[in-house]
Amino acid sequence: ILIALSGANFSYETKKIVEAINNFKEFKIDITVSGVEEKYKINKSSFHNIIYLKSSASIPEEMANSNVIIVGSGLIRYEATFMEIPSLIFSLIPDHTEMVKYFTTFGTGIFGGELNKLTTNQITQIVTHLIKNKRKLTNMRLKCKSIMDEHGAARIVNLILE
C-alpha cells in the first residue's frame, strides 16, 4: 500500500491512516508513506512493514510497486487510474468531497469520506474492507484499464476535427 495524501503537509492525517492500518492484524502489509514530518512517523510500534519516503521523486516508482494506493483529493488519483492501481481516496478539504465522489463513480477508486470527520476505527474498517476484497480490487484494476489508455489525446484531436 502506498499512502500519498498530498504535496501539502498532511502529516497528521497520514499518521491517522497509518494508525488505522496498524489495527489490521490478519496479515502483514508493506506500507510506503510519502510526505510525513519526523514527529508523525510510526516505526517500531507497527505490526506492518513501514517505509517512509525521503523524497516525493520516487512516488511513481512506488506507485508501480503498489497493489493499492491511498490518496487525498489531488491529481494523483488520475495517475493511479492510468497506472491501473486501485485507489482509496479521502477528501482532505470539504470543498473537494463532491469532486472525489464523482470521480469514484467510474469504479477505479473508492471514496473513503472526509478524512477529518472519520475516526481511526472507521478508517480501519474502510481499509480492511478494501484490502480483503480481492474481487473488488481486480474489478477496479479492470475499470482503470478500460477508462485510461495512451490514445486519449488522439481521441480529443479526432473530436475537434469532426
Side-chain angles (χ1 to χ4, degrees):
I1 295 175
L2 171 63
I3 303 171
L5 289 188
S6 173
N9 187 351
F10 285 96
S11 292
Y12 173 78
E13 292 81 357
T14 301
K15 180 183 179 204
K16 187 176 177 181
I17 293 171
V18 172
E19 288 173 342
I21 295 172
N22 239 358
N23 291 333
F24 177 80
K25 307 273 195 234
E26 291 183 39
F27 51 84
K28 284 195 177 274
I29 301 170
D30 290 330
I31 304 167
T32 304
V33 184
S34 172
V36 176
E37 292 177 41
E38 197 64 39
K39 68 181 179 179
Y40 291 105
K41 292 181 179 179
I42 299 171
N43 284 321
K44 294 178 175 69
S45 62
S46 180
F47 174 76
H48 304 290
N49 204 16
I50 302 175
I51 298 167
Y52 290 94
L53 299 179
K54 295 189 186 319
S55 162
S56 61
S58 59
I59 288 178
E61 182 181 337
E62 294 299 332
M63 287 175 73
N65 294 322
S66 299
N67 293 317
V68 175
I69 182 170
I70 299 174
V71 297
S73 42
L75 297 176
I76 195 169
R77 66 185 185 272
Y78 293 99
E79 295 172 68
T81 300
F82 184 76
M83 294 176 72
E84 300 174 16
I85 306 164
S87 55
L88 173 57
I89 309 167
F90 289 103
S91 178
L92 301 174
I93 305 168
D95 291 348
H96 291 180
T97 299
E98 291 307 313
M99 171 184 59
V100 173
K101 281 182 183 178
Y102 175 75
F103 183 84
T104 59
T105 63
F106 296 99
T108 62
I110 293 175
F111 176 59
E114 289 184 32
L115 191 55
N116 63 347
K117 293 182 178 178
L118 297 170
T119 66
T120 303
N121 287 336
Q122 289 171 316
I123 297 168
T124 300
Q125 290 173 355
I126 294 165
V127 171
T128 298
H129 175 74
L130 180 59
I131 63 175
K132 287 178 63 176
N133 193 337
K134 293 191 185 296
R135 184 181 212 182
K136 176 81 171 167
L137 292 171
T138 298
N139 288 339
M140 290 169 71
R141 275 188 203 90
L142 292 172
K143 283 287 190 181
C144 290
K145 191 172 190 159
S146 71
I147 288 177
M148 296 276 211
D149 63 32
E150 67 276 6
H151 306 295
R155 283 193 297 272
I156 292 169
V157 168
N158 288 336
L159 284 171
I160 292 169
L161 296 176
E162 284 181 349

